[in-house]
Amino acid sequence: FYDSKDHTILQNILQQIIKHINKLHNNKIMHKKSQLGSEVFKYMMIALIAGIILIFGYMMFKSVLQKGCTAELTDFTANFKNIDKSSRFGERELKEYSVPCNVNKIYLFDFSKSINYAQFTQSPVMEESLRTSKSDNVFLVEGNKVVHSFYAGNFQIEDSYLCLKPASGKISFFAEGARDSLRISRPEGHPACA
């Protein structure tokens, strides 16, 4: 990614190029033919400098977006972790969370039930994780790519899993405290995954 060292290097290169262009431009002994060549050279250098600036600008922009996404994922994970410990026994409440980083599906898994792994072949990373480790029970998915996964506590889900699609950038579900877990269900009208 782009950092201050890259900025200093780029600045030095640009200064050297500008000095060279000015030196060529200010040379009074140039012949008419060489003047045409120096004009072409000057415009080529300007195009090169503009290209370098665009590339570094794009790299900076991409870096800022990536850091923003990482911060959103960290916040989501921190707010969602140990959700089973935060609800009181028998208390049912509607939970709502903002969805980070263009995630379009969030899967929650109940490992106390049998999971049909064949349903998740479109996302090999999630399928492999469910088959082998069973350490993560929340998966944030964009398209078929797992963006982030983590363990959020023990869930009780009617089926072996619940898939939530964001509505207006948020997911919501009912959470009811149970003995050592959390019962989770989809509220009426909340979009389901296809």
Side-chain angles (χ1 to χ4, degrees):
F1 291 107
Y2 180 80
D3 61 10
S4 61
K5 185 177 179 182
D6 292 336
H7 176 73
T8 306
I9 292 169
L10 179 62
Q11 191 174 17
N12 288 338
I13 291 171
L14 291 175
Q15 286 174 351
Q16 291 298 321
I17 291 171
I18 290 169
K19 279 182 188 177
H20 187 67
I21 290 171
N22 286 336
K23 191 182 214 183
L24 286 174
H25 183 68
N26 292 333
N27 191 350
K28 305 282 185 196
I29 306 173
M30 287 185 197
H31 297 285
K32 292 275 186 188
K33 287 183 180 180
S34 68
Q35 283 180 336
L36 179 62
S38 69
E39 288 294 315
V40 170
F41 178 75
K42 182 168 52 172
Y43 288 118
M44 286 183 1
M45 293 307 291
I46 289 170
L48 178 67
I49 292 168
I52 290 171
I53 290 170
L54 283 173
I55 290 169
F56 276 100
Y58 175 75
M59 289 170 50
M60 278 184 54
F61 179 73
K62 196 171 178 181
S63 173
V64 167
L65 286 180
Q66 182 63 36
K67 287 177 183 173
C69 182
T70 302
E72 287 178 19
L73 287 170
T74 302
D75 286 347
F76 182 85
T77 303
N79 292 331
F80 212 93
K81 270 194 171 186
N82 297 319
I83 190 173
D84 60 333
K85 308 278 189 266
S86 65
S87 295
R88 285 188 257 159
F89 183 78
E91 180 182 354
R92 185 175 192 223
E93 62 181 307
L94 182 65
K95 300 272 189 180
E96 186 174 271
Y97 293 92
S98 292
V99 177
C101 305
N102 299 321
V103 166
N104 58 4
K105 292 178 187 173
I106 297 180
Y107 290 89
L108 310 173
F109 287 91
D110 179 352
F111 289 138
S112 68
K113 298 196 172 128
S114 177
I115 297 170
N116 179 6
Y117 305 115
Q119 297 177 82
F120 306 105
T121 55
Q122 78 280 3
S123 181
V125 171
M126 183 166 52
E127 180 188 14
E128 183 65 24
S129 177
L130 293 170
R131 273 187 202 279
T132 57
S133 68
K134 292 191 178 184
S135 59
D136 294 339
N137 64 348
V138 177
F139 291 84
L140 285 72
V141 178
E142 179 183 354
N144 289 328
K145 179 184 169 211
V146 174
V147 176
H148 187 62
S149 63
F150 59 94
Y151 181 78
N154 293 321
F155 297 147
Q156 288 182 19
I157 301 171
E158 188 174 319
D159 294 322
S160 58
Y161 75 97
L162 179 65
C163 180
L164 300 167
K165 282 188 86 145
S168 301
K170 296 182 180 213
I171 59 162
S172 57
F173 56 88
F174 284 112
E176 181 180 346
R179 288 185 192 271
D180 59 350
S181 61
L182 188 69
R183 285 189 194 104
I184 296 178
S185 59
R186 181 190 336 276
E188 284 294 318
H190 190 84
C193 299

